[in-house]
Every structure is written in C-alpha cells, then in structure tokens.
Amino acid sequence: MIEDSMSVRAIEMMGNSLGFAGNKGIYGSIDLTSNKVLMGRQLHDDILPEFRAVAHTNNDFFMLSAGNPALLYKTGSSGKMELVYKEEGEGVFYDAMRFWNDKEGIAIGDAIGDCLSIIITRDGGNTWQKLSCEVLPEALKGEGAFAASNTNIAIIGTSTWIATSMGRVYYSNNKGANWSVQKTPISHDTNTQGIFSITFYDNQLGVIIGGDFQEPSINKGNKAITYDGGVSWQLIAEGLEPGYKSCIEFVPNGDGKEMVSVGYTGISYSMNSGEHWKNLSDEGFYTLKFLNDTVAYAAGKNRIAKLQFKK
C-alpha cells in the first residue's frame, strides 16, 4: 500500500481504518475499505521523531517516539497532533504503548536508574505521569524493551504484562497500580537477545517470542507459552523454526492454538499452540495486527501490506 523510504514498526486497528507511525516523523491512516492513505509528518523543533509506538481510544490516536527526547502526541480538537508528554534525559527510550479503556493507558520504556520507565494516563491521554521507582520492581542492569513492533505490552481486562530484554515479564492485575516480576526461560545472554513480543489470548494463555536479531537463525530459548497467566512459562518448538521474530499474535477465533509471528526473516504460522511452525513467506515485516480471523495487516520497511489467510 505504501512505497516510501520509511520504516513502520507500529500499527493499530481502528475500526475500518489502520493507524500507523514510523521514522522521519511519518504518521497516518489507511481506510481499509478504499485503501486511501492519509499521511502527515510531525516535526518537533528541528527533530523528525522516530515513532515506535501507537495506540488509540474511541476519541483519539496516540503516537510516541523512541529516543531522547520522548515525544507523545494525541489527536487534538484543532485537527493537528498535540504534544501531551515530553521527557528529556540520558537513557530516555520508550518502546510501546497500550490503553486499557478510553480513559486509562500505559507506555513503557527502558530502565533509568533502578526501574523501568512507565508512564500512565487516567484522563484519556491528556496528561501522563511517570511511576516512581518506589512502586516498581528493581530493574536488572541494562533492562529495557525492544522497540521493534509495539508489542511489548499485553492487556486483558485489568491485567497487564510487559516483556523485557532481560527475559522477564512484569505483571500487574490492577491497571498498573502494583507490579510483580515473572521469570521466563527466554535467553538474554547478549544485549541483542530477549523477549521482543508478548500476547495473551485470555487472562491465562499467553505466548512470548524473540531471539537474537543479529543471529536470527538461533531457534533455542526464544519461544515460550504460559497457561497460568504468566506464573510459569515453558519453552516451545525448542531447536525448531522459527528463529528470531519481532512480533507474535494469536489468530482471532483460533481457540488459542493458532498464532502467527513475523520478523524481518519472514512470516511463520502455528496451528498447535506453537509446538510446530510453518514458514508462510520470506517477506520481511516488523509488526502485525489482525482485522479478523482471515485478514491481517503487517508493516515493515517501506511498506504496509494486507495478508489474507485461508480457513
């Protein structure tokens, strides 16, 4: 649909449209009925932000840049994007954003000091507050998240899971008021390894995927599943394909058994809870969102594409 010199790592289904944001300050939407693309470019002073996270409510579209300064925009009443949060400082780097409902949302970033960077809104995204390290688990040295697909956060009801580069999952059962840490068997021996994506089918069944983006053929210690809300995680397809992937999603109405993962290495599909996978395409993408159980949209370098799956 889009051919330009850009990289899109964050997309969001918004009814009959698809919102997106990418590098060079690019953002926009696609009408999924007509395929008409509306695209703009956001400039902040002389900065073209590197957008890696998007989210939406029934009222607004949000986009958040990675790097210093962090810039979080929302659609405003004037028809232009409005800056609602800005954070400057060494180590500032935000990775993903999601909303629990039309009023409450969360964005997460790499650790600064002793804890992850987590900001929360309770007023529909008009204002955002950063959580104090006093209310968060202590971060491991160098802990953060990979801003590769905007899928480091999973939400089911009031439950929230955050996947980190250190192979850990932060969990809150009350929309970010309190947090605990779940350990996983995902490898994190280097700073290019860890969990890249997390998704839950319901409040018990979830999967995580990642690997090493510099050594994508490594297929051990990069995929795991939980059947108890993340209390315990078990490796799946150990030593089998796929290797590195940056995004994983359950297929809607697939009983939690069907899932699709994408990365710059291609598209893979499993129909048995991740135990075995089939390579569907070598076309590289960074992120994926399902419209329904047969149609998904994937974004990557220079393109956003429609993927159709046969049932």
Side-chain angles (χ1 to χ4, degrees), residues 245-279:
K245 297 293 181 186
S246 56
C247 179
I248 189 167
E249 292 285 340
F250 283 105
V251 178
N253 304 314
D255 296 325
K257 296 183 181 298
E258 293 183 81
M259 54 189 76
V260 175
S261 63
V262 302
Y264 73 84
T265 54
I267 306 169
S268 295
Y269 164 79
S270 174
M271 61 182 298
N272 56 5
S273 303
E275 287 298 326
H276 299 92
W277 295 78
K278 179 181 179 181
N279 180 54

PDB file of all heavy atoms in Angstrom, residues 245-279:
ATOM      1  N   LYS A 245      12.034 -13.609  15.814  1.00  0.00           N
ATOM      2  CA  LYS A 245      10.856 -12.895  15.334  1.00  0.00           C
ATOM      3  C   LYS A 245      10.630 -11.680  16.242  1.00  0.00           C
ATOM      4  O   LYS A 245      10.951 -11.717  17.438  1.00  0.00           O
ATOM      5  CB  LYS A 245       9.604 -13.771  15.328  1.00  0.00           C
ATOM      6  CG  LYS A 245       9.671 -14.972  14.391  1.00  0.00           C
ATOM      7  CD  LYS A 245       9.711 -14.568  12.923  1.00  0.00           C
ATOM      8  CE  LYS A 245       9.745 -15.780  12.011  1.00  0.00           C
ATOM      9  NZ  LYS A 245       9.936 -15.411  10.589  1.00  0.00           N
ATOM     10  N   SER A 246      10.041 -10.638  15.656  1.00  0.00           N
ATOM     11  CA  SER A 246       9.832  -9.404  16.428  1.00  0.00           C
ATOM     12  C   SER A 246       8.392  -9.209  16.871  1.00  0.00           C
ATOM     13  O   SER A 246       8.104  -8.309  17.662  1.00  0.00           O
ATOM     14  CB  SER A 246      10.260  -8.194  15.598  1.00  0.00           C
ATOM     15  OG  SER A 246       9.576  -8.141  14.356  1.00  0.00           O
ATOM     16  N   CYS A 247       7.465 -10.060  16.389  1.00  0.00           N
ATOM     17  CA  CYS A 247       6.058  -9.882  16.743  1.00  0.00           C
ATOM     18  C   CYS A 247       5.340 -11.222  16.685  1.00  0.00           C
ATOM     19  O   CYS A 247       5.603 -12.034  15.798  1.00  0.00           O
ATOM     20  CB  CYS A 247       5.391  -8.887  15.778  1.00  0.00           C
ATOM     21  SG  CYS A 247       3.634  -8.590  16.098  1.00  0.00           S
ATOM     22  N   ILE A 248       4.431 -11.437  17.633  1.00  0.00           N
ATOM     23  CA  ILE A 248       3.596 -12.640  17.618  1.00  0.00           C
ATOM     24  C   ILE A 248       2.173 -12.243  17.992  1.00  0.00           C
ATOM     25  O   ILE A 248       1.961 -11.384  18.855  1.00  0.00           O
ATOM     26  CB  ILE A 248       4.141 -13.724  18.573  1.00  0.00           C
ATOM     27  CG1 ILE A 248       3.382 -15.039  18.378  1.00  0.00           C
ATOM     28  CG2 ILE A 248       4.113 -13.281  20.030  1.00  0.00           C
ATOM     29  CD1 ILE A 248       4.058 -16.234  19.043  1.00  0.00           C
ATOM     30  N   GLU A 249       1.190 -12.858  17.320  1.00  0.00           N
ATOM     31  CA  GLU A 249      -0.222 -12.589  17.587  1.00  0.00           C
ATOM     32  C   GLU A 249      -1.013 -13.895  17.486  1.00  0.00           C
ATOM     33  O   GLU A 249      -0.747 -14.730  16.615  1.00  0.00           O
ATOM     34  CB  GLU A 249      -0.795 -11.591  16.576  1.00  0.00           C
ATOM     35  CG  GLU A 249      -0.243 -10.175  16.686  1.00  0.00           C
ATOM     36  CD  GLU A 249      -0.807  -9.404  17.867  1.00  0.00           C
ATOM     37  OE1 GLU A 249      -1.881  -9.801  18.388  1.00  0.00           O
ATOM     38  OE2 GLU A 249      -0.172  -8.408  18.276  1.00  0.00           O
ATOM     39  N   PHE A 250      -1.988 -14.060  18.385  1.00  0.00           N
ATOM     40  CA  PHE A 250      -2.938 -15.156  18.240  1.00  0.00           C
ATOM     41  C   PHE A 250      -3.889 -14.841  17.093  1.00  0.00           C
ATOM     42  O   PHE A 250      -4.276 -13.688  16.890  1.00  0.00           O
ATOM     43  CB  PHE A 250      -3.749 -15.343  19.519  1.00  0.00           C
ATOM     44  CG  PHE A 250      -3.012 -16.045  20.624  1.00  0.00           C
ATOM     45  CD1 PHE A 250      -2.537 -15.338  21.714  1.00  0.00           C
ATOM     46  CD2 PHE A 250      -2.809 -17.418  20.583  1.00  0.00           C
ATOM     47  CE1 PHE A 250      -1.871 -15.973  22.746  1.00  0.00           C
ATOM     48  CE2 PHE A 250      -2.137 -18.072  21.604  1.00  0.00           C
ATOM     49  CZ  PHE A 250      -1.665 -17.346  22.690  1.00  0.00           C
ATOM     50  N   VAL A 251      -4.286 -15.876  16.359  1.00  0.00           N
ATOM     51  CA  VAL A 251      -5.309 -15.712  15.335  1.00  0.00           C
ATOM     52  C   VAL A 251      -6.666 -15.621  16.032  1.00  0.00           C
ATOM     53  O   VAL A 251      -6.998 -16.495  16.844  1.00  0.00           O
ATOM     54  CB  VAL A 251      -5.303 -16.893  14.344  1.00  0.00           C
ATOM     55  CG1 VAL A 251      -6.413 -16.735  13.315  1.00  0.00           C
ATOM     56  CG2 VAL A 251      -3.948 -17.013  13.668  1.00  0.00           C
ATOM     57  N   PRO A 252      -7.458 -14.593  15.774  1.00  0.00           N
ATOM     58  CA  PRO A 252      -8.778 -14.500  16.399  1.00  0.00           C
ATOM     59  C   PRO A 252      -9.620 -15.745  16.112  1.00  0.00           C
ATOM     60  O   PRO A 252      -9.569 -16.304  15.008  1.00  0.00           O
ATOM     61  CB  PRO A 252      -9.391 -13.260  15.735  1.00  0.00           C
ATOM     62  CG  PRO A 252      -8.214 -12.433  15.307  1.00  0.00           C
ATOM     63  CD  PRO A 252      -7.164 -13.430  14.909  1.00  0.00           C
ATOM     64  N   ASN A 253     -10.349 -16.184  17.113  1.00  0.00           N
ATOM     65  CA  ASN A 253     -11.239 -17.349  16.990  1.00  0.00           C
ATOM     66  C   ASN A 253     -10.483 -18.634  16.679  1.00  0.00           C
ATOM     67  O   ASN A 253     -11.055 -19.581  16.138  1.00  0.00           O
ATOM     68  CB  ASN A 253     -12.313 -17.117  15.921  1.00  0.00           C
ATOM     69  CG  ASN A 253     -13.123 -15.864  16.173  1.00  0.00           C
ATOM     70  OD1 ASN A 253     -13.564 -15.620  17.289  1.00  0.00           O
ATOM     71  ND2 ASN A 253     -13.298 -15.050  15.138  1.00  0.00           N
ATOM     72  N   GLY A 254      -9.200 -18.663  17.026  1.00  0.00           N
ATOM     73  CA  GLY A 254      -8.387 -19.852  16.784  1.00  0.00           C
ATOM     74  C   GLY A 254      -8.222 -20.726  18.003  1.00  0.00           C
ATOM     75  O   GLY A 254      -7.323 -21.588  18.034  1.00  0.00           O
ATOM     76  N   ASP A 255      -9.074 -20.528  19.027  1.00  0.00           N
ATOM     77  CA  ASP A 255      -9.048 -21.333  20.254  1.00  0.00           C
ATOM     78  C   ASP A 255      -7.705 -21.286  20.979  1.00  0.00           C
ATOM     79  O   ASP A 255      -7.376 -22.182  21.753  1.00  0.00           O
ATOM     80  CB  ASP A 255      -9.411 -22.797  19.961  1.00  0.00           C
ATOM     81  CG  ASP A 255     -10.843 -22.942  19.464  1.00  0.00           C
ATOM     82  OD1 ASP A 255     -11.708 -22.184  19.934  1.00  0.00           O
ATOM     83  OD2 ASP A 255     -11.083 -23.808  18.603  1.00  0.00           O
ATOM     84  N   GLY A 256      -6.924 -20.249  20.693  1.00  0.00           N
ATOM     85  CA  GLY A 256      -5.639 -20.115  21.365  1.00  0.00           C
ATOM     86  C   GLY A 256      -4.564 -21.043  20.826  1.00  0.00           C
ATOM     87  O   GLY A 256      -3.454 -21.073  21.351  1.00  0.00           O
ATOM     88  N   LYS A 257      -4.898 -21.803  19.790  1.00  0.00           N
ATOM     89  CA  LYS A 257      -3.926 -22.733  19.212  1.00  0.00           C
ATOM     90  C   LYS A 257      -3.227 -22.150  17.989  1.00  0.00           C
ATOM     91  O   LYS A 257      -2.080 -22.478  17.707  1.00  0.00           O
ATOM     92  CB  LYS A 257      -4.615 -24.044  18.829  1.00  0.00           C
ATOM     93  CG  LYS A 257      -5.186 -24.806  20.015  1.00  0.00           C
ATOM     94  CD  LYS A 257      -5.787 -26.127  19.577  1.00  0.00           C
ATOM     95  CE  LYS A 257      -6.379 -26.877  20.759  1.00  0.00           C
ATOM     96  NZ  LYS A 257      -5.360 -27.212  21.774  1.00  0.00           N
ATOM     97  N   GLU A 258      -3.923 -21.281  17.261  1.00  0.00           N
ATOM     98  CA  GLU A 258      -3.359 -20.699  16.048  1.00  0.00           C
ATOM     99  C   GLU A 258      -2.646 -19.380  16.367  1.00  0.00           C
ATOM    100  O   GLU A 258      -3.204 -18.522  17.058  1.00  0.00           O
ATOM    101  CB  GLU A 258      -4.453 -20.437  15.024  1.00  0.00           C
ATOM    102  CG  GLU A 258      -5.102 -21.678  14.469  1.00  0.00           C
ATOM    103  CD  GLU A 258      -6.130 -21.330  13.415  1.00  0.00           C
ATOM    104  OE1 GLU A 258      -5.721 -21.082  12.256  1.00  0.00           O
ATOM    105  OE2 GLU A 258      -7.328 -21.274  13.746  1.00  0.00           O
ATOM    106  N   MET A 259      -1.461 -19.224  15.839  1.00  0.00           N
ATOM    107  CA  MET A 259      -0.707 -17.995  16.042  1.00  0.00           C
ATOM    108  C   MET A 259       0.192 -17.722  14.844  1.00  0.00           C
ATOM    109  O   MET A 259       0.589 -18.638  14.128  1.00  0.00           O
ATOM    110  CB  MET A 259       0.099 -18.051  17.342  1.00  0.00           C
ATOM    111  CG  MET A 259       1.016 -19.236  17.478  1.00  0.00           C
ATOM    112  SD  MET A 259       1.745 -19.409  19.142  1.00  0.00           S
ATOM    113  CE  MET A 259       0.376 -20.069  20.098  1.00  0.00           C
ATOM    114  N   VAL A 260       0.483 -16.440  14.648  1.00  0.00           N
ATOM    115  CA  VAL A 260       1.337 -16.002  13.546  1.00  0.00           C
ATOM    116  C   VAL A 260       2.441 -15.127  14.116  1.00  0.00           C
ATOM    117  O   VAL A 260       2.194 -14.281  14.982  1.00  0.00           O
ATOM    118  CB  VAL A 260       0.534 -15.212  12.490  1.00  0.00           C
ATOM    119  CG1 VAL A 260       1.462 -14.659  11.417  1.00  0.00           C
ATOM    120  CG2 VAL A 260      -0.532 -16.105  11.860  1.00  0.00           C
ATOM    121  N   SER A 261       3.659 -15.332  13.648  1.00  0.00           N
ATOM    122  CA  SER A 261       4.782 -14.496  14.060  1.00  0.00           C
ATOM    123  C   SER A 261       5.453 -13.919  12.817  1.00  0.00           C
ATOM    124  O   SER A 261       5.504 -14.562  11.769  1.00  0.00           O
ATOM    125  CB  SER A 261       5.799 -15.291  14.888  1.00  0.00           C
ATOM    126  OG  SER A 261       6.373 -16.345  14.123  1.00  0.00           O
ATOM    127  N   VAL A 262       5.938 -12.695  12.948  1.00  0.00           N
ATOM    128  CA  VAL A 262       6.637 -12.047  11.838  1.00  0.00           C
ATOM    129  C   VAL A 262       7.943 -11.445  12.336  1.00  0.00           C
ATOM    130  O   VAL A 262       8.129 -11.179  13.514  1.00  0.00           O
ATOM    131  CB  VAL A 262       5.776 -10.942  11.174  1.00  0.00           C
ATOM    132  CG1 VAL A 262       4.468 -11.498  10.661  1.00  0.00           C
ATOM    133  CG2 VAL A 262       5.538  -9.771  12.132  1.00  0.00           C
ATOM    134  N   GLY A 263       8.834 -11.238  11.379  1.00  0.00           N
ATOM    135  CA  GLY A 263      10.101 -10.574  11.628  1.00  0.00           C
ATOM    136  C   GLY A 263      10.703 -10.226  10.281  1.00  0.00           C
ATOM    137  O   GLY A 263      10.124 -10.532   9.234  1.00  0.00           O
ATOM    138  N   TYR A 264      11.860  -9.613  10.307  1.00  0.00           N
ATOM    139  CA  TYR A 264      12.487  -9.323   9.019  1.00  0.00           C
ATOM    140  C   TYR A 264      12.902 -10.610   8.311  1.00  0.00           C
ATOM    141  O   TYR A 264      13.261 -10.599   7.131  1.00  0.00           O
ATOM    142  CB  TYR A 264      13.674  -8.372   9.194  1.00  0.00           C
ATOM    143  CG  TYR A 264      14.914  -8.967   9.813  1.00  0.00           C
ATOM    144  CD1 TYR A 264      15.843  -9.649   9.036  1.00  0.00           C
ATOM    145  CD2 TYR A 264      15.177  -8.824  11.168  1.00  0.00           C
ATOM    146  CE1 TYR A 264      16.998 -10.188   9.592  1.00  0.00           C
ATOM    147  CE2 TYR A 264      16.332  -9.343  11.737  1.00  0.00           C
ATOM    148  CZ  TYR A 264      17.228 -10.035  10.945  1.00  0.00           C
ATOM    149  OH  TYR A 264      18.372 -10.560  11.512  1.00  0.00           O
ATOM    150  N   THR A 265      12.790 -11.741   9.035  1.00  0.00           N
ATOM    151  CA  THR A 265      13.112 -13.055   8.480  1.00  0.00           C
ATOM    152  C   THR A 265      11.930 -13.706   7.781  1.00  0.00           C
ATOM    153  O   THR A 265      12.088 -14.760   7.165  1.00  0.00           O
ATOM    154  CB  THR A 265      13.592 -13.977   9.606  1.00  0.00           C
ATOM    155  OG1 THR A 265      12.598 -13.976  10.646  1.00  0.00           O
ATOM    156  CG2 THR A 265      14.907 -13.513  10.184  1.00  0.00           C
ATOM    157  N   GLY A 266      10.711 -13.130   7.883  1.00  0.00           N
ATOM    158  CA  GLY A 266       9.563 -13.708   7.211  1.00  0.00           C
ATOM    159  C   GLY A 266       8.375 -13.915   8.128  1.00  0.00           C
ATOM    160  O   GLY A 266       8.330 -13.398   9.249  1.00  0.00           O
ATOM    161  N   ILE A 267       7.404 -14.701   7.636  1.00  0.00           N
ATOM    162  CA  ILE A 267       6.135 -14.937   8.336  1.00  0.00           C
ATOM    163  C   ILE A 267       6.006 -16.421   8.645  1.00  0.00           C
ATOM    164  O   ILE A 267       6.171 -17.265   7.759  1.00  0.00           O
ATOM    165  CB  ILE A 267       4.943 -14.491   7.473  1.00  0.00           C
ATOM    166  CG1 ILE A 267       5.100 -13.037   7.031  1.00  0.00           C
ATOM    167  CG2 ILE A 267       3.625 -14.683   8.224  1.00  0.00           C
ATOM    168  CD1 ILE A 267       4.097 -12.612   5.966  1.00  0.00           C
ATOM    169  N   SER A 268       5.678 -16.756   9.901  1.00  0.00           N
ATOM    170  CA  SER A 268       5.509 -18.148  10.311  1.00  0.00           C
ATOM    171  C   SER A 268       4.151 -18.341  10.970  1.00  0.00           C
ATOM    172  O   SER A 268       3.616 -17.428  11.606  1.00  0.00           O
ATOM    173  CB  SER A 268       6.616 -18.568  11.283  1.00  0.00           C
ATOM    174  OG  SER A 268       7.884 -18.548  10.651  1.00  0.00           O
ATOM    175  N   TYR A 269       3.616 -19.557  10.843  1.00  0.00           N
ATOM    176  CA  TYR A 269       2.278 -19.868  11.360  1.00  0.00           C
ATOM    177  C   TYR A 269       2.310 -21.188  12.120  1.00  0.00           C
ATOM    178  O   TYR A 269       2.954 -22.149  11.705  1.00  0.00           O
ATOM    179  CB  TYR A 269       1.290 -19.968  10.196  1.00  0.00           C
ATOM    180  CG  TYR A 269      -0.028 -20.640  10.529  1.00  0.00           C
ATOM    181  CD1 TYR A 269      -1.028 -19.946  11.198  1.00  0.00           C
ATOM    182  CD2 TYR A 269      -0.260 -21.961  10.163  1.00  0.00           C
ATOM    183  CE1 TYR A 269      -2.236 -20.567  11.500  1.00  0.00           C
ATOM    184  CE2 TYR A 269      -1.469 -22.586  10.450  1.00  0.00           C
ATOM    185  CZ  TYR A 269      -2.456 -21.889  11.119  1.00  0.00           C
ATOM    186  OH  TYR A 269      -3.639 -22.495  11.411  1.00  0.00           O
ATOM    187  N   SER A 270       1.598 -21.222  13.259  1.00  0.00           N
ATOM    188  CA  SER A 270       1.437 -22.459  14.020  1.00  0.00           C
ATOM    189  C   SER A 270      -0.042 -22.707  14.258  1.00  0.00           C
ATOM    190  O   SER A 270      -0.806 -21.774  14.524  1.00  0.00           O
ATOM    191  CB  SER A 270       2.148 -22.365  15.376  1.00  0.00           C
ATOM    192  OG  SER A 270       1.854 -23.520  16.162  1.00  0.00           O
ATOM    193  N   MET A 271      -0.447 -23.973  14.176  1.00  0.00           N
ATOM    194  CA  MET A 271      -1.831 -24.344  14.438  1.00  0.00           C
ATOM    195  C   MET A 271      -1.947 -25.241  15.666  1.00  0.00           C
ATOM    196  O   MET A 271      -3.034 -25.731  15.984  1.00  0.00           O
ATOM    197  CB  MET A 271      -2.444 -25.064  13.231  1.00  0.00           C
ATOM    198  CG  MET A 271      -1.759 -26.347  12.844  1.00  0.00           C
ATOM    199  SD  MET A 271      -2.514 -27.123  11.365  1.00  0.00           S
ATOM    200  CE  MET A 271      -4.170 -27.445  11.973  1.00  0.00           C
ATOM    201  N   ASN A 272      -0.823 -25.458  16.379  1.00  0.00           N
ATOM    202  CA  ASN A 272      -0.856 -26.333  17.542  1.00  0.00           C
ATOM    203  C   ASN A 272      -0.117 -25.723  18.732  1.00  0.00           C
ATOM    204  O   ASN A 272       0.775 -26.331  19.314  1.00  0.00           O
ATOM    205  CB  ASN A 272      -0.294 -27.717  17.205  1.00  0.00           C
ATOM    206  CG  ASN A 272       1.117 -27.653  16.644  1.00  0.00           C
ATOM    207  OD1 ASN A 272       1.730 -26.581  16.584  1.00  0.00           O
ATOM    208  ND2 ASN A 272       1.643 -28.798  16.242  1.00  0.00           N
ATOM    209  N   SER A 273      -0.515 -24.508  19.064  1.00  0.00           N
ATOM    210  CA  SER A 273      -0.016 -23.815  20.255  1.00  0.00           C
ATOM    211  C   SER A 273       1.489 -23.596  20.233  1.00  0.00           C
ATOM    212  O   SER A 273       2.143 -23.589  21.279  1.00  0.00           O
ATOM    213  CB  SER A 273      -0.414 -24.572  21.529  1.00  0.00           C
ATOM    214  OG  SER A 273      -1.816 -24.728  21.609  1.00  0.00           O
ATOM    215  N   GLY A 274       2.041 -23.430  19.040  1.00  0.00           N
ATOM    216  CA  GLY A 274       3.445 -23.094  18.922  1.00  0.00           C
ATOM    217  C   GLY A 274       4.406 -24.253  18.977  1.00  0.00           C
ATOM    218  O   GLY A 274       5.626 -24.051  18.956  1.00  0.00           O
ATOM    219  N   GLU A 275       3.887 -25.474  19.015  1.00  0.00           N
ATOM    220  CA  GLU A 275       4.782 -26.636  19.058  1.00  0.00           C
ATOM    221  C   GLU A 275       5.495 -26.841  17.723  1.00  0.00           C
ATOM    222  O   GLU A 275       6.662 -27.237  17.675  1.00  0.00           O
ATOM    223  CB  GLU A 275       4.000 -27.893  19.438  1.00  0.00           C
ATOM    224  CG  GLU A 275       3.604 -27.940  20.905  1.00  0.00           C
ATOM    225  CD  GLU A 275       4.797 -27.954  21.835  1.00  0.00           C
ATOM    226  OE1 GLU A 275       5.839 -28.539  21.481  1.00  0.00           O
ATOM    227  OE2 GLU A 275       4.698 -27.353  22.922  1.00  0.00           O
ATOM    228  N   HIS A 276       4.789 -26.596  16.627  1.00  0.00           N
ATOM    229  CA  HIS A 276       5.374 -26.699  15.292  1.00  0.00           C
ATOM    230  C   HIS A 276       4.924 -25.499  14.468  1.00  0.00           C
ATOM    231  O   HIS A 276       3.811 -24.996  14.637  1.00  0.00           O
ATOM    232  CB  HIS A 276       4.950 -28.007  14.605  1.00  0.00           C
ATOM    233  CG  HIS A 276       5.380 -29.228  15.338  1.00  0.00           C
ATOM    234  ND1 HIS A 276       4.566 -29.846  16.277  1.00  0.00           N
ATOM    235  CD2 HIS A 276       6.531 -29.942  15.302  1.00  0.00           C
ATOM    236  CE1 HIS A 276       5.210 -30.894  16.784  1.00  0.00           C
ATOM    237  NE2 HIS A 276       6.392 -30.987  16.203  1.00  0.00           N
ATOM    238  N   TRP A 277       5.810 -25.070  13.570  1.00  0.00           N
ATOM    239  CA  TRP A 277       5.555 -23.878  12.779  1.00  0.00           C
ATOM    240  C   TRP A 277       5.797 -24.146  11.298  1.00  0.00           C
ATOM    241  O   TRP A 277       6.655 -24.946  10.930  1.00  0.00           O
ATOM    242  CB  TRP A 277       6.475 -22.734  13.222  1.00  0.00           C
ATOM    243  CG  TRP A 277       6.215 -22.256  14.618  1.00  0.00           C
ATOM    244  CD1 TRP A 277       6.617 -22.853  15.778  1.00  0.00           C
ATOM    245  CD2 TRP A 277       5.503 -21.086  15.003  1.00  0.00           C
ATOM    246  NE1 TRP A 277       6.199 -22.130  16.858  1.00  0.00           N
ATOM    247  CE2 TRP A 277       5.514 -21.035  16.420  1.00  0.00           C
ATOM    248  CE3 TRP A 277       4.860 -20.068  14.294  1.00  0.00           C
ATOM    249  CZ2 TRP A 277       4.910 -19.996  17.130  1.00  0.00           C
ATOM    250  CZ3 TRP A 277       4.255 -19.044  14.996  1.00  0.00           C
ATOM    251  CH2 TRP A 277       4.275 -19.017  16.401  1.00  0.00           C
ATOM    252  N   LYS A 278       5.051 -23.429  10.477  1.00  0.00           N
ATOM    253  CA  LYS A 278       5.224 -23.490   9.034  1.00  0.00           C
ATOM    254  C   LYS A 278       5.623 -22.104   8.525  1.00  0.00           C
ATOM    255  O   LYS A 278       5.012 -21.104   8.900  1.00  0.00           O
ATOM    256  CB  LYS A 278       3.923 -23.928   8.357  1.00  0.00           C
ATOM    257  CG  LYS A 278       4.004 -23.990   6.838  1.00  0.00           C
ATOM    258  CD  LYS A 278       2.665 -24.408   6.242  1.00  0.00           C
ATOM    259  CE  LYS A 278       2.733 -24.456   4.723  1.00  0.00           C
ATOM    260  NZ  LYS A 278       1.421 -24.846   4.124  1.00  0.00           N
ATOM    261  N   ASN A 279       6.636 -22.064   7.696  1.00  0.00           N
ATOM    262  CA  ASN A 279       7.036 -20.802   7.086  1.00  0.00           C
ATOM    263  C   ASN A 279       6.077 -20.457   5.950  1.00  0.00           C
ATOM    264  O   ASN A 279       5.951 -21.208   4.988  1.00  0.00           O
ATOM    265  CB  ASN A 279       8.470 -20.890   6.547  1.00  0.00           C
ATOM    266  CG  ASN A 279       8.910 -19.582   5.918  1.00  0.00           C
ATOM    267  OD1 ASN A 279       8.847 -18.537   6.543  1.00  0.00           O
ATOM    268  ND2 ASN A 279       9.351 -19.638   4.673  1.00  0.00           N
TER     269      ASN A 279
END
